[in-house]
Amino acid sequence: MGHSAHLYYNTLRGRLTSMGQRLRATDSSSVYRIGLIAGGGNSYDISDADLIPISRRSIPDASEFSSDSVLQTLSATTGHDEYFIDLSRLDARKFPQFFVAGVTRFELRGKQPAILARDFDGAIYVNLISVPRLGFGGPFLVAAAGLKGSWLDHTLLVTLIAVLATGLASRRVVAVVAARRRARRAD
């Protein structure tokens, strides 16, 4: 089990060699790689280098990834929010959309070149995923992860609000200081 980008077959020879590519090179008959594709939702992003190592992040919509969007379109067409598809048995003449070079999600935010029916033997599509309830860290960690994720997902907006709040607060401080000085002079 792992991220799809770590285990897919990398038929377009993207910048990273994947474990799926290595496994297929050694014994392709015993490897069946299933990609997990999400239409959107939320996920926890883990970074050991950060002070707060976990953040709750929104997952970009599958429509932003040309290979993943094929599965999203199939979901909308069939009315199934979750499904499994055996890509290894598809005929390229009947289902050409699964054989087009495009990009798939790499980790949470990146993109990786892929041909859906060549890089995965099967795929599980889930329209909307959500974060699990954490069994550790308590409410503080959950709140901190949410705040950190909001800041990472909306950096420009959060920064603008912080600058405006700081500006308003500093104007208020300046006004209070000026009023105190006038009051002292009047005494």
Side-chain angles (χ1 to χ4, degrees):
M1 251 337 235
H3 289 282
S4 293
H6 292 283
L7 299 175
Y8 83 127
Y9 295 133
N10 197 15
T11 58
L12 295 175
R13 302 293 181 242
R15 58 186 166 84
L16 299 173
T17 302
S18 72
M19 182 56 70
Q21 180 181 347
R22 291 178 180 156
L23 289 171
R24 182 169 247 187
T26 59
D27 186 7
S28 63
S29 64
S30 64
V31 176
Y32 188 91
R33 174 62 193 111
I34 300 173
L36 175 59
I37 309 296
N42 292 294
S43 176
Y44 281 124
D45 193 13
I46 308 295
S47 173
D48 292 335
D50 294 349
L51 179 62
I52 299 172
I54 189 169
S55 57
R56 180 181 174 157
R57 303 290 307 270
S58 62
I59 297 173
D61 193 81
S63 63
E64 296 180 27
F65 306 92
S66 54
S67 290
D68 300 357
S69 67
V70 172
L71 297 174
Q72 186 179 44
T73 300
L74 182 61
S75 172
T77 304
T78 63
H80 295 289
D81 288 341
E82 298 90 24
Y83 63 86
F84 170 79
I85 184 169
D86 184 356
L87 299 168
S88 69
R89 302 199 187 284
L90 292 181
D91 183 339
R93 291 179 306 262
K94 291 182 181 177
F95 302 99
Q97 67 272 30
F98 291 95
F99 294 86
V100 175
V103 292
T104 189
R105 182 178 286 117
F106 181 77
E107 299 287 342
L108 198 55
R109 291 278 180 278
K111 294 180 178 184
Q112 187 77 1
I115 299 172
L116 201 57
R118 300 270 186 248
D119 284 308
F120 300 104
D121 297 304
I124 295 173
Y125 177 82
V126 179
N127 192 44
L128 186 66
I129 64 170
S130 58
V131 295
R133 189 176 77 74
L134 293 177
F136 60 90
F140 173 76
L141 182 61
V142 171
L147 288 171
K148 180 182 174 194
S150 293
W151 180 77
L152 291 170
D153 286 344
H154 310 288
T155 304
L156 181 59
L157 179 62
V158 172
T159 303
L160 181 60
I161 290 170
V163 167
L164 289 173
T166 303
L168 291 173
S170 64
R171 286 183 67 197
R172 175 77 178 134
V173 169
V174 168
V176 168
V177 169
R180 287 183 181 164
R181 284 184 185 162
R182 283 193 298 274
R184 280 190 219 140
R185 286 185 203 150
D187 289 339

